[in-house]
């Protein structure tokens, strides 16, 4: 039997409130969600049910609801281990609330019931700014950061709440409704039981959604902190023009596209960027979507967590988190997900990243984790300040008593503040110069993705993609399939990989991956060098070309170009304007290493006359294009590479 779905009025409302404010309430959740296209702030949804601890997401199936939410899933960060990724295992349980009752309350129904000061003691960050700045400085100087790795590193604010009870959390939730704006979800989850956990927060980050048979994600990255006098157009324009912020959003967007392409059919589209404005800061975000091809539970299981809460590339970011953070994250960086059915009986999924969230245990010990996305261009002082700003909204709700209905910012028609733009609202700040700046940011994205992930072309033979290890190729394979034709992926370590490559007469593409291609101590690189040399020197005449991108290009260049050698990539940043065969391209460079050659020695192999493109220094190899061997140092599949689909098509044709 599905959950009771009631718009609460009269005595029913009184009974619901009595349960919420009682001394020992059952497991429950309060949620106000952002709904695309909604007019005005959404209502408060009240969910009651049985809370269970489960071992895997496969056990989180929703109740057979005719409509409305059937299950609320609490996914801790340690769930990344189920995908073979590293983390500190703090044994935080994977939980599911089997929803038996679903009520709807107006926001004002909570007013005046849990008032009074919230007492807190021993409050403060567990590490000082100097310690956090040191972590930022260390990571920003690392080879991983120089190679394009971005990672969200957290710090914790803790406090004790003497006499804490769930009614206090309801009051904190009510205050967040009135003091914070622009949140994707404002929520409270109380697990019930003898040692309950209570989560209360206002997260700006939606994760994966299924609506109207489309799967939608909302990558969010980039933070503009309001100065004490309030946001200023000039400062906002400078933020939107900041290359570091643009690259962080593009990197996050690339990571989420990799996830979405595994969950959607052809026609993946990128929209934005837009602004999501909160009470103390705003973020840039995009919307990406495509036709849903998996169930809600499978989509949730395969989507992992928002790159905003982790970093990208994803696996490398998880390793960095394990190294730089000394304890487990609990639910921070994890997910809350509602699974149910819409009014037509279609499957629905709505999920949000657990960010800006107070985690309170049964003894009233509270932890608020906040973080900043760190990359090679990060300023330690600025990133530490960002963590303080992100904590402020929750701390304001914790320490102040706003009057009923008070809000520091006027909310827009969808419940967010003016200026949010796009999915997050569209107010006066999103017009004029700011709108123009957002349009320029959109125009800088790859047209392949902004036009819906399709590039009309005559279909050709099957492409064999060699997985060089250590990187998810889903977005690259999606682009190859769109611009050329069917794709088969072969992993470099597979026993039959060599035979498959030698037999295949169609195009071969060596994908990118981490590592130094001439590393003498890497068994992986030894295999890849052998494979690359065989493809360059032993491929029969009449076969389609062999091409490479990123690491794949480097391996082919070492085999095909005399005097080629590997050097550490100089400079920082990912996006570079380069000339590729007479065409100016803005391209994403994500590898730590580059291949260079003496200008005099930078001539193609005799057996394959090629055109070589060199960087501005006249030494770095950017691209090569011959009859048999081709490639580019950069990533054509990145949203940052403006003509990526055209470049990839020329490599494979």
């Amino acid at each position: 039997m599905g959950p009771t779905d009631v718009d609460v009025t009269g005595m029913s409302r009184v009974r619901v409130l009595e349960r919420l404010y009682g001394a020992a309430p059952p497991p429950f959740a309060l949620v106000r969600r952002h709904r695309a296209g909604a007019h005005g702030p959404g209502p408060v949804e009240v969910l009651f049910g049985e809370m269970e601890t489960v071992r895997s997401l496969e056990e989180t199936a929703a109740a057979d609801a005719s409509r409305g939410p059937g299950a609320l899933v609490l996914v801790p960060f340690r769930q990344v281990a189920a995908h073979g990724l590293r983390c500190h295992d703090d044994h935080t349980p994977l939980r599911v609330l089997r929803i038996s009752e679903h009520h709807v309350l107006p926001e004002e129904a909570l007013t005046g019931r849990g008032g009074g000061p919230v007492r807190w003691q021993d409050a403060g960050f567990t590490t000082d700014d100097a310690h956090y700045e040191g972590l930022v400085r260390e990571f920003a100087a690392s080879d991983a950061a120089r190679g394009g790795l971005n990672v969200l590193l957290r710090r914790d604010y803790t406090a004790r709440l003497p006499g804490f009870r769930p009614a206090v959390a309801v009051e904190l939730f009510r205050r967040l409704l009135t003091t914070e704006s622009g949140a994707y979800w404002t929520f409270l989850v109380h697990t019930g039981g003898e040692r309950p956990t209570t989560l209360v927060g206002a997260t700006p980050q939606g994760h994966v959604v299924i609506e109207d048979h489309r799967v939608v994600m909302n990558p969010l990255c980039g933070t503009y902190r309001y100065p004490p006098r309030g946001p200023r157009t000039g400062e906002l324009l400078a933020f939107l023009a900041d290359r570091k912020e643009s690259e962080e959003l593009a990197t996050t967007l690339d990571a989420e596209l990799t996830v979405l392409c595994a969950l959607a059919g052809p026609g993946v589209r990128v929209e934005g960027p837009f602004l999501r404005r909160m009470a103390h800061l705003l973020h840039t975000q995009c919307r990406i979507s495509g036709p849903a091809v998996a169930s809600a539970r499978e989509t949730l299981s395969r989507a992992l967590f928002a790159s905003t809460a982790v970093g990208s590339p994803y696996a490398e970011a998880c390793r960095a988190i394990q190294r730089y953070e000394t304890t487990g994250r609990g639910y921070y960086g994890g997910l809350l997900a509602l699974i149910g059915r819409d009014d037509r009986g279609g499957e629905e999924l709505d999920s949000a990243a657990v960010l800006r969230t107070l985690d309170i245990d049964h003894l009233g010990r509270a932890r608020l984790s906040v973080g900043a996305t760190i990359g090679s261009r990060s300023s330690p002082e600025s990133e530490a300040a960002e963590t303080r700003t992100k904590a402020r909204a929750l701390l304001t709700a914790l320490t102040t008593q706003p009057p009923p209905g008070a809000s520091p910012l006027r909310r827009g028609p969808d419940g967010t503040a003016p200026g949010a733009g796009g999915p997050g609202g569209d107010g006066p700040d999103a017009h004029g110069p700011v709108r123009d700046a957002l349009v320029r940011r959109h125009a800088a994205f790859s047209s392949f993705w902004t036009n819906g992930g399709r590039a009309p072309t005559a279909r050709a033979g099957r492409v064999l993609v060699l997985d060089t290890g250590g990187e998810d190729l889903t977005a690259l394979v999606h682009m190859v399939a769109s611009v050329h034709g069917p794709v088969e992926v072969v992993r470099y370590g597979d026993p039959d990989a060599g035979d498959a490559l030698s037999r295949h007469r169609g195009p071969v593409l060596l994908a990118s991956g981490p590592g130094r291609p001439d590393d003498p101590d890497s068994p992986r690189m030894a295999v890849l060098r052998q494979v690359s040399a065989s493809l360059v020197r032993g491929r029969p005449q009449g076969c389609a070309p062999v091409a490479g991108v990123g690491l794949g290009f480097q391996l082919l260049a070492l085999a095909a170009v005399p005097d080629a050698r590997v050097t550490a990539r100089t400079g920082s940043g990912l996006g570079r304007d380069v000339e590729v065969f007479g065409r100016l391209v803005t391209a994403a460079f994500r590898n730590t290493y580059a291949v260079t050659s003496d200008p005099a020695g930078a001539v193609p192999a005799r057996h394959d006359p090629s055109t070589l493109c060199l960087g501005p220094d006249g030494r770095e190899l950017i691209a090569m294009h011959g009859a048999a061997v081709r490639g580019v140092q950069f990533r054509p599949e990145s949203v940052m590479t403006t003509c990526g689909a055209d470049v990839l098509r020329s490599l494979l044709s």
Side-chain angles (χ1 to χ4, degrees):
M1 191 158 105
T4 305
D5 191 352
V6 180
D7 190 351
V8 183
T9 58
M11 288 303 296
S12 296
R13 179 185 301 180
V14 171
R15 286 193 289 270
V16 168
L17 293 173
E18 285 177 347
R19 293 162 74 189
L20 293 178
Y21 287 100
F28 73 91
L30 303 176
V31 184
R32 185 172 72 184
R33 296 185 278 163
H34 164 74
R35 293 296 189 91
H39 296 285
V44 175
E45 298 177 75
V46 185
L47 311 172
F48 291 107
E50 296 294 324
M51 186 71 71
E52 297 179 16
T53 296
V54 296
R55 292 172 296 179
S56 68
L57 286 169
E58 284 67 34
E59 300 177 42
T60 60
D64 187 18
S66 56
R67 66 185 181 95
L72 174 68
V73 187
L74 287 69
V75 188
F77 184 76
R78 73 181 186 92
Q79 193 65 24
V80 298
H83 294 264
L85 300 173
R86 296 183 184 178
C87 69
H88 294 290
D89 188 356
D90 55 9
H91 305 291
T92 303
L94 172 63
R95 289 175 162 131
V96 56
L97 178 68
R98 311 283 186 190
I99 299 169
S100 57
E101 298 178 44
H102 175 217
H103 306 286
V104 178
L105 288 173
E107 178 182 325
E108 57 270 19
L110 301 175
T111 301
R113 286 185 162 265
V118 176
R119 294 191 298 136
W120 56 301
Q121 297 176 354
D122 304 328
F125 280 108
T126 57
T127 57
D128 60 17
D129 282 0
H131 180 270
Y132 189 77
E133 290 167 9
L135 286 181
V136 174
R137 194 171 291 109
E138 179 184 351
F139 178 77
S142 68
D143 286 344
R146 268 194 319 110
L149 176 62
N150 290 305
V151 61
L152 183 129
L153 296 178
R154 86 175 204 274
R155 62 194 299 208
D156 295 334
Y157 188 100
T158 60
R160 289 193 304 111
L161 304 181
F164 175 79
R165 53 194 177 88
V168 173
V170 177
E171 172 59 15
L172 293 176
F173 171 80
R174 184 190 72 81
R175 293 183 185 186
L176 282 177
L177 294 179
T178 57
T179 60
E180 184 53 280
S181 55
Y184 183 79
W185 276 25
T186 305
F187 60 88
L188 185 168
V189 181
H190 176 69
T191 64
E194 294 182 1
R195 301 166 64 91
T197 294
T198 303
L199 305 176
V200 57
T203 178
Q205 176 66 73
H207 186 40
V208 61
V209 176
I210 294 178
E211 55 185 22
D212 296 328
H213 306 290
R214 288 186 70 82
V215 58
V216 181
M217 300 178 76
N218 293 281
L220 177 149
C221 196
T223 302
Y224 166 57
R225 303 187 308 275
Y226 303 154
R229 64 188 186 280
R232 294 294 184 268
T233 299
E235 294 179 355
L236 178 54
L237 290 172
F239 161 75
L240 291 174
D242 188 313
R243 186 171 178 178
K244 167 189 173 293
E245 300 291 350
S246 298
E247 289 185 356
E248 284 185 2
L249 178 62
T251 300
T252 299
L253 187 52
D254 280 345
E256 299 290 59
L257 277 170
T258 295
V259 174
L260 187 74
C261 287
L263 302 171
V268 171
R269 180 182 297 275
V270 172
E271 301 170 74
F274 311 109
L275 303 181
R276 179 165 289 280
R277 183 169 175 173
M278 310 289 285
H280 300 278
L281 47 79
L282 64 75
H283 301 288
T284 45
Q285 74 172 121
C286 292
R287 172 186 167 97
I288 58 178
S289 64
V293 296
S295 68
R297 189 177 62 183
E298 184 181 359
T299 296
L300 181 64
S301 178
R302 291 165 60 185
L304 291 177
F305 301 133
S307 292
T308 302
V310 181
S312 59
Y314 206 93
E316 291 180 67
C318 286
R319 288 194 290 270
I321 289 169
Q322 187 186 41
R323 175 183 174 185
Y324 288 94
E325 296 182 7
T326 58
T327 59
R329 287 185 160 197
Y331 289 106
Y332 175 72
L335 290 176
L336 297 177
L338 273 172
I339 302 174
R341 297 195 175 276
D342 60 25
D343 291 339
R344 298 183 297 275
E347 199 169 35
E348 273 192 326
L349 169 67
D350 190 6
S351 62
V354 181
L355 302 171
R356 322 286 164 82
T357 298
L358 205 61
D359 186 329
I360 311 168
D361 71 9
H362 65 291
L363 298 177
R365 295 175 298 196
R367 181 174 79 170
L368 170 63
S369 297
V370 290
T373 300
I374 314 302
S376 63
R377 295 175 180 266
S378 290
S379 159
E381 295 76 16
S382 178
E383 306 296 6
E386 182 175 320
T387 63
R388 295 193 302 270
T389 301
K390 288 177 175 177
R392 189 178 306 154
L394 268 294
L395 299 180
T396 299
L398 180 66
T399 59
T400 64
Q401 174 62 44
S407 178
L409 290 173
R410 176 177 58 84
R411 283 184 291 208
D414 66 348
T416 63
D426 188 10
D429 289 355
H431 294 276
V434 174
R435 177 199 57 202
D436 294 342
L438 292 170
V439 170
R440 287 193 295 273
R441 289 274 296 269
H442 178 79
F445 286 157
S446 165
S447 59
F448 172 82
W449 296 113
T450 57
N451 290 337
R454 300 171 189 260
T457 182
R459 292 283 167 161
R462 179 170 53 96
V463 178
L464 197 63
V465 175
L466 179 66
D467 181 353
T468 59
E471 196 163 294
D472 192 322
L473 307 183
T474 308
L476 176 64
V477 168
H478 182 94
M479 181 177 279
V480 171
S482 296
V483 304
H484 192 276
V487 180
E488 179 183 350
V489 178
V490 177
R491 182 171 170 78
Y492 80 95
D494 289 349
D496 58 349
D499 289 342
L501 291 167
S502 63
R503 290 195 309 266
H504 186 66
R505 300 184 62 84
V508 173
L509 179 65
L510 275 64
S512 193
R516 181 172 179 135
D518 63 347
D519 185 350
D521 299 320
S522 169
R524 167 174 160 257
M525 290 302 173
V527 171
L528 290 172
R529 286 194 298 271
Q530 182 180 5
V531 168
S532 302
S534 175
L535 288 170
V536 169
R537 301 187 180 106
R539 196 157 164 80
Q541 288 189 347
C543 289
V546 56
V549 297
L551 174 66
F553 165 78
Q554 295 170 2
L555 290 161
L556 293 177
L558 289 177
V561 179
D563 200 36
R565 57 185 178 272
V566 179
T567 61
R569 188 163 67 86
T570 58
S572 60
L574 305 176
R576 294 167 56 189
D577 295 329
V578 294
E579 186 175 321
V580 181
F581 312 127
R583 183 176 190 175
L584 189 64
V585 175
T586 300
F589 289 75
R590 298 198 185 279
N591 291 82
T592 306
Y593 301 96
V595 174
T596 63
S597 181
D598 240 311
V603 294
R606 290 189 183 90
H607 64 277
D608 183 27
S610 303
T611 299
L612 298 181
C613 293
L614 302 179
D617 63 356
R619 300 175 62 86
E620 182 184 4
L621 296 178
I622 300 297
M624 59 182 176
H625 197 285
V629 182
R630 304 170 180 178
V632 292
Q633 171 63 74
F634 53 86
R635 308 299 184 88
E637 77 277 15
S638 171
V639 73
M640 201 185 304
T641 301
T642 50
C643 304
D646 291 339
V647 168
L648 194 58
R649 187 183 296 109
S650 72
L651 296 180
L652 299 173
S653 62

